[in-house]
Amino acid sequence: MSGPLASPEFSRDPYPLLATLREQGPVQRIPTGNGRTTWVVTGWEAARAALADARLSKDTARFFADRPSTRNLAPAVSRTMLATDPPDHGRLRKLAMTAFTPAAVARLAPRIHEIAGELAEALAAGLAAHGTADLMEEFAVPLPIAVISELLGVPEKDRSAVRRWSNTLFAADADDVVDRASHELSAYMTELIAARRRDPGEDVLSGLIAARDEGDRLTEPELVSLAVLLVVAGHETTTHLIGNGMLALLRDDALRARLRADLDLLPAAIEEFLRYDAPLTVATFRYATEPLELGGVRIGAGDVVLVSPGAANRDPARFPAPDAVRLDRGRSTGHLSFGSGPHHCLGAPLARLEGRIAFEVLLTRFPELRCAQGDGEEGDEALVWRRTRLMRGLARLPVTTAEPQAHRDAPVGTP
């Protein structure tokens, strides 16, 4: 995609453009390049309606069937559960969601605590040795990668490659680079499925294989695509929940101190981090199967519609003072960072649990943590944001526990 949503400025800070679009109306048409346009949904009411509207299809295979394309995405990536409509979507979702029920997720808490503790100690060692460390590289990325890999049975030696392929799928790179990564990840998951079929374990992937082989409910392509989706979606959102949320905390000493003093506030804080700086700026592709009205505009059959959770979550008509982090909003505010309707993120309970444990560990283990490039938003020039097609997240978040130079040099008793 080209156009304003693919610009470097949008990757660094999407909110000014999204606010401008929303002020013009909750649904706006924008150019995407080559003479094409798309509808972008930025208002909360319209976005929630769009996410639940069966007339907005996610069946990309049907959409592109009669349209020439130079792309060569692996079918396991281009035709995942996210790119299906009912009834196929419901069948696939039912099989996958058994691993992500609240009870199943709660059983993972001790192991997530263990992984987070190990990563925190490694982060502490890096800070002690070098004075600074990258919170993304040392903590926010490896935590959810380790959790979803253990759930699916991905060996530790393969996780860096899986992470690299996943990152590339979301990157705003040349199409051929993304396509190549899709085939590499698809081939890897095909081989892993074959290995698990020969030697089943207690992991989720072995369970999905059994569901196919015993009940014949999953075709082989469906099994591979579901495995690819789980490993990719199972860590990207959580990584950026941790990174974006920690950035908000590092900018606000009072909020950080309040959470350290009362960890029971973490569930509310996580919902607010998800709303304030959503890991998913723009949701995946939808198109109208028939003419419809949305947000006061008429959308024609075949028109492409992109719902923006990042914009909807800052709609002042729904959220007072939307550009501020406030813990008094509660869980009932209805942010759309996990979607809504039939495609609501089935991994949301796991992401919330990982986020709660991650923030608890970081807040208690590193009470003096701060941004290495300076406190507050004036240090934003040193931040590196990922160039991605959908996700909103940091590539690097340098942190330190050292006192600022001005404090170290001040005479004793200087305020």
Side-chain angles (χ1 to χ4, degrees):
M1 178 190 293
S2 58
L5 300 188
S7 69
E9 293 77 18
F10 189 79
S11 293
R12 284 194 295 270
D13 185 1
Y15 298 109
L17 173 60
L18 294 175
T20 297
L21 291 173
R22 191 177 54 240
E23 287 166 2
Q24 296 169 2
V27 183
Q28 294 293 315
R29 198 166 206 162
I30 66 168
T32 59
N34 298 326
R36 295 189 292 260
T37 62
T38 188
W39 294 100
V40 179
V41 185
T42 57
W44 185 89
E45 289 282 0
R48 191 168 185 272
L51 292 170
D53 196 324
R55 297 169 297 177
L56 291 176
S57 173
K58 300 202 73 181
D59 188 346
T60 53
R62 182 172 61 170
F63 180 84
F64 288 108
D66 300 322
R67 291 171 170 82
S69 174
T70 59
R71 297 301 302 275
N72 183 32
L73 277 171
V77 171
S78 63
R79 299 176 187 173
T80 68
M81 181 174 67
L82 290 181
T84 60
D85 294 331
D88 282 344
H89 175 264
R91 177 174 60 88
L92 296 170
R93 183 182 177 90
K94 184 178 179 181
L95 287 168
M97 72 185 302
T98 56
F100 300 100
T101 63
V105 167
R107 289 193 292 269
L108 300 173
R111 179 57 182 147
I112 297 173
H113 264 290
E114 186 178 3
I115 296 170
E118 292 169 354
L119 291 171
E121 291 309 311
L123 177 63
L127 287 167
H130 307 292
T132 63
D134 181 0
L135 190 67
M136 300 305 297
E137 183 67 25
E138 302 300 326
F139 191 93
V141 171
L143 174 61
I145 280 280
V147 173
I148 197 64
S149 293
E150 289 192 6
L151 271 177
L152 292 174
V154 177
E156 189 168 356
K157 64 180 177 61
D158 298 336
R159 293 173 191 175
S160 61
V162 168
R163 171 191 169 187
R164 183 176 68 254
W165 295 324
S166 174
N167 285 352
T168 303
L169 292 181
F170 286 103
D173 286 326
D175 289 345
D176 61 331
V177 175
V178 176
D179 291 351
R180 185 163 59 251
S182 76
H183 285 277
E184 290 170 333
L185 181 56
S186 176
Y188 174 80
M189 296 309 296
T190 300
E191 293 174 4
L192 185 61
I193 287 167
R196 285 291 170 271
R197 184 172 285 117
R198 293 190 300 268
D199 184 19
E202 298 298 321
D203 53 85
V204 170
L205 196 55
S206 295
L208 290 173
I209 292 167
R212 174 186 183 271
D213 290 346
E214 295 175 8
D216 198 26
R217 292 179 290 175
L218 280 173
T219 66
E220 191 71 12
E222 287 174 338
L223 179 56
V224 176
S225 72
L226 191 52
V228 167
L229 176 62
L230 290 176
V231 76
V232 173
H235 76 273
E236 287 282 352
T237 297
T238 308
T239 286
H240 299 309
L241 162 59
I242 297 169
N244 297 358
M246 281 304 300
L247 178 60
L249 278 178
L250 293 171
R251 286 171 168 169
D252 191 331
D253 292 343
L255 178 60
R256 203 161 65 248
R258 185 181 175 193
L259 286 179
R260 280 204 311 272
D262 186 359
L263 294 175
D264 289 340
L265 292 172
L266 277 175
I270 287 167
E271 299 309 309
E272 181 64 350
F273 295 150
L274 286 164
R275 183 206 66 82
Y276 171 73
D277 206 357
L280 186 67
T281 302
V282 179
T284 50
F285 181 100
R286 286 170 168 80
Y287 70 96
T289 58
E290 59 183 82
L292 61 99
E293 185 172 304
L294 182 67
V297 303
R298 189 71 173 169
I299 294 174
D303 285 1
V304 173
V305 176
L306 297 178
V307 178
S308 173
N313 288 346
R314 292 201 183 193
D315 185 348
R318 175 70 183 185
F319 304 99
D323 298 326
V325 176
R326 287 175 40 177
L327 299 189
D328 59 355
R329 300 183 196 275
R331 280 178 169 265
S332 61
T333 55
H335 69 72
L336 300 178
S337 293
F338 290 127
S340 185
H343 284 275
H344 182 270
C345 177
L346 61 85
L350 178 58
R352 286 185 167 108
L353 176 63
E354 289 178 287
R356 180 180 63 77
I357 292 172
F359 288 116
E360 178 182 328
V361 168
L362 290 171
L363 285 167
T364 55
R365 181 65 181 80
F366 302 102
E368 302 303 323
L369 199 68
R370 58 176 55 87
C371 287
Q373 78 277 0
D375 294 329
E377 297 189 18
E378 67 272 11
D380 281 2
E381 290 302 316
L383 294 176
V384 179
W385 293 90
R386 286 181 62 192
R387 290 287 313 280
T388 74
R389 300 168 187 269
L390 302 171
M391 305 301 293
R392 160 76 172 166
L394 289 157
R396 296 179 62 249
L397 180 52
V399 294
T400 184
T401 54
E403 288 187 52
Q405 187 66 39
H407 291 178
R408 289 200 303 268
D409 295 343
V412 175
T414 299

